[in-house]
Amino acid sequence: MMTSRTAVTVAAVSTVAGLLSGLAMYLGRSPEREQHVAGTEAWLPHVAVAVVLAVWLLIASRRSPLGLRVILAPLGRPIAARIAATFRARAVLRWPAVGFLVFVEAYLCWRIGVQVFAGLDPNFTANAWGGPSYAGAMLCHYLDGALLLLVCHTLLRWVTLPSIDRQHQHAQ
């Protein structure tokens, strides 16, 4: 699968900005420790999210000629070509939806980056889903991020127009 330079650049810049934001949050952390409140872990819903992600990946990897590499589809040339085709076609009513979904994907990359360093602050994970441990909080938040990225990518495929570049259309 060929990746889109633009998509990879947006994802990378968003993630690096998130890493820097998370580092700033960690360095500015409070010295006072927040107490963990029982019941804030939300493990049961995240088991359901993990099952949904696993089933989605299994179905998508079997249906796509890319196999398991289908997880890179949001960074691929096919979706980038569809986004460009939608804007070139002047499908003005689709622009807000496409812009919003691309913004959400970039935000999710930023948020995933934030959690790497900010999660080292015990107060950041004290009452987080999967907390109070760093590993549990990151696992739950990354599961949520992965599911939201898949939903955004699916919605982008629905709201964007097909690209004239048929060479890359099969790999969506």
Side-chain angles (χ1 to χ4, degrees):
M1 169 184 196
M2 299 295 290
T3 56
S4 161
R5 281 189 191 155
T6 303
V8 170
T9 300
V10 168
V13 167
S14 296
T15 304
V16 169
L19 288 167
L20 294 173
S21 298
L23 183 59
M25 288 176 193
Y26 176 71
L27 294 174
R29 69 191 178 279
S30 172
E32 295 179 27
R33 292 282 306 256
E34 207 174 295
Q35 292 300 314
H36 174 68
V37 177
T40 58
E41 302 86 12
W43 278 107
L44 195 55
H46 284 86
V47 169
V49 169
V51 169
V52 167
L53 283 170
V55 169
W56 194 327
L57 181 59
L58 179 69
I59 291 170
S61 65
R62 288 179 177 256
R63 293 179 67 193
S64 172
L66 298 172
L68 285 175
R69 290 181 300 157
V70 74
I71 63 172
L72 298 175
L75 297 175
R77 285 187 184 171
I79 195 65
R82 290 180 67 95
I83 292 168
T86 301
F87 283 96
R88 273 195 308 272
R90 295 185 176 31
V92 179
L93 295 178
R94 294 175 187 249
W95 291 358
V98 173
F100 175 74
L101 291 168
V102 170
F103 171 79
V104 170
E105 286 185 338
Y107 168 78
L108 289 168
C109 290
W110 176 82
R111 182 65 184 168
I112 285 167
V114 163
Q115 293 173 189
V116 171
F117 292 121
L120 296 172
D121 175 4
N123 289 335
F124 192 83
T125 60
N127 293 304
W129 293 343
S133 76
Y134 177 85
M138 296 308 107
L139 175 65
C140 287
H141 287 294
Y142 291 155
L143 281 171
D144 293 340
L147 182 60
L148 288 169
L149 281 169
L150 285 172
V151 169
C152 284
H153 179 69
T154 300
L155 292 173
L156 268 173
R157 288 186 58 213
W158 287 346
V159 300
T160 55
L161 299 173
S163 167
I164 296 171
D165 181 8
R166 299 286 181 214
Q167 175 186 357
H168 296 107
Q169 289 299 304
H170 72 281
Q172 298 178 44

